[in-house]
Amino acid sequence: MSRLAKVELRKMFDTRAGFWLMASVGIVSVLATAAVIIWAPDEAITLETFSTAIGVPLSIVLPMIAILSITSEYSQRTGLTTYTLVPWRGRVISAKVLVTIAIGVVSMFLALAVGTVGNLIGSTITGLDPVWDISVATFSSIVLANILGMLMGFMLGVLFRSSAAAIVGYFVYSFVLPVAFGTLAAFQEWFRDLQPWVDVNFAITRLFEGSLTTEHWQQLGVTTLVWLWIPLALGLRAIVRAEVK
């Protein structure tokens, strides 16, 4: 499994598109940090501000990496070779999941490091003391939120097995459904209390705020079960049983 995970990790860097997509994690972190230093007011130079600025583009880039990790087997027609060399497809998918989660965790620590440097530089420029307003618990919740976002992208890749369809599906999930659910909750009182139990984005977004209650964790479990784990199980079953062409 360790050898298979190394192979899957290397495959993510092999193409020019894959390399620059992976490099974009560091690039957008630096650009977002520079933007905060240049345009943010002095009182906003805090670690939380840098983390928020970096987190927005990463919430889009990281799921794209997860999607392409699975759909590239079909769009680049390498699936037949991969599944011939490793006939048990479950091992291949497990290696992809492990690599996806590892990339997500490393990316978040890289973003934290860049944000920390940006906070020190910004504080030095403004002449203020650096503000470290992100606790270990809050950072852990942010990492979990981004991992769930990557797994959502991975699920869409497994379900559709097409880069274009999975990417479109992710943007519908990220931007269309939250607006639809939010609008419905704003105008329909009966849905207002129901939204946290059916809107997975609503439940995941709370992780960025930290300090979830027991009910919040229950809502996160229910929404991810419906929107993530059940579709992922259906997609994995299809991959294992489908003919690779």
Side-chain angles (χ1 to χ4, degrees):
M1 179 58 70
S2 61
R3 178 181 296 178
L4 194 55
K6 291 177 183 178
V7 170
E8 292 299 330
L9 179 62
R10 187 174 68 246
K11 286 162 66 175
M12 290 188 174
F13 291 88
D14 276 351
T15 63
R16 284 192 296 269
F19 172 80
W20 285 109
L21 186 60
M22 299 292 289
S24 65
V25 173
I27 294 172
V28 298
S29 298
V30 173
L31 291 178
T33 299
V36 171
I37 294 175
I38 295 172
W39 287 298
D42 293 351
E43 61 274 12
I45 302 296
T46 67
L47 184 59
E48 183 179 5
T49 302
F50 286 101
S51 298
T52 302
I54 296 172
V56 171
L58 285 188
S59 66
I60 298 175
V61 173
L62 291 178
M64 296 302 107
I65 293 174
I67 288 173
L68 294 178
S69 70
I70 186 70
T71 58
S72 61
E73 298 287 359
Y74 299 87
S75 61
Q76 298 178 15
R77 302 179 183 275
T78 59
L80 184 59
T81 302
T82 299
Y83 297 136
T84 299
L85 294 173
V86 186
W88 186 29
R89 300 178 192 178
R91 291 186 60 195
V92 177
I93 303 301
S94 298
K96 291 180 182 293
V97 171
L98 291 175
V99 169
T100 297
I101 293 176
I103 289 175
V105 173
V106 171
S107 298
M108 294 311 301
F109 276 98
L110 174 63
L112 178 64
V114 174
T116 300
V117 173
N119 194 30
L120 292 172
I121 295 175
S123 300
T124 301
I125 293 175
T126 58
L128 301 174
D129 293 331
V131 178
W132 311 103
D133 49 355
I134 291 185
S135 64
V136 175
T138 301
F139 179 71
S140 300
S141 297
I142 293 173
V143 172
L144 177 59
N146 280 278
I147 293 300
L148 289 175
M150 291 190 75
L151 289 176
M152 190 66 69
F154 190 86
M155 177 273 295
L156 291 169
V158 168
L159 201 60
F160 293 109
R161 298 190 295 280
S162 166
S163 300
I167 290 173
V168 170
Y170 181 77
F171 280 106
V172 170
Y173 148 80
S174 299
F175 299 106
V176 178
L177 287 180
V179 173
F181 285 137
T183 303
L184 186 60
F187 292 99
Q188 299 293 331
E189 186 175 353
W190 62 269
F191 186 73
R192 200 164 301 153
D193 295 332
L194 185 62
Q195 182 185 10
W197 296 96
V198 299
D199 188 351
V200 66
N201 280 281
F202 188 88
I204 291 177
T205 301
R206 282 176 168 164
L207 289 171
F208 292 100
E209 303 169 1
S211 63
L212 273 68
T213 64
T214 302
E215 185 180 25
H216 293 164
W217 284 110
Q218 292 171 349
Q219 292 166 350
L220 180 64
V222 171
T223 54
T224 53
L225 175 65
V226 174
W227 289 95
L228 173 59
W229 303 118
I230 292 178
L232 180 60
L234 295 175
L236 291 174
R237 183 175 183 273
I239 282 184
V240 171
R241 295 170 62 89
E243 179 183 359
V244 181
K245 299 180 180 179

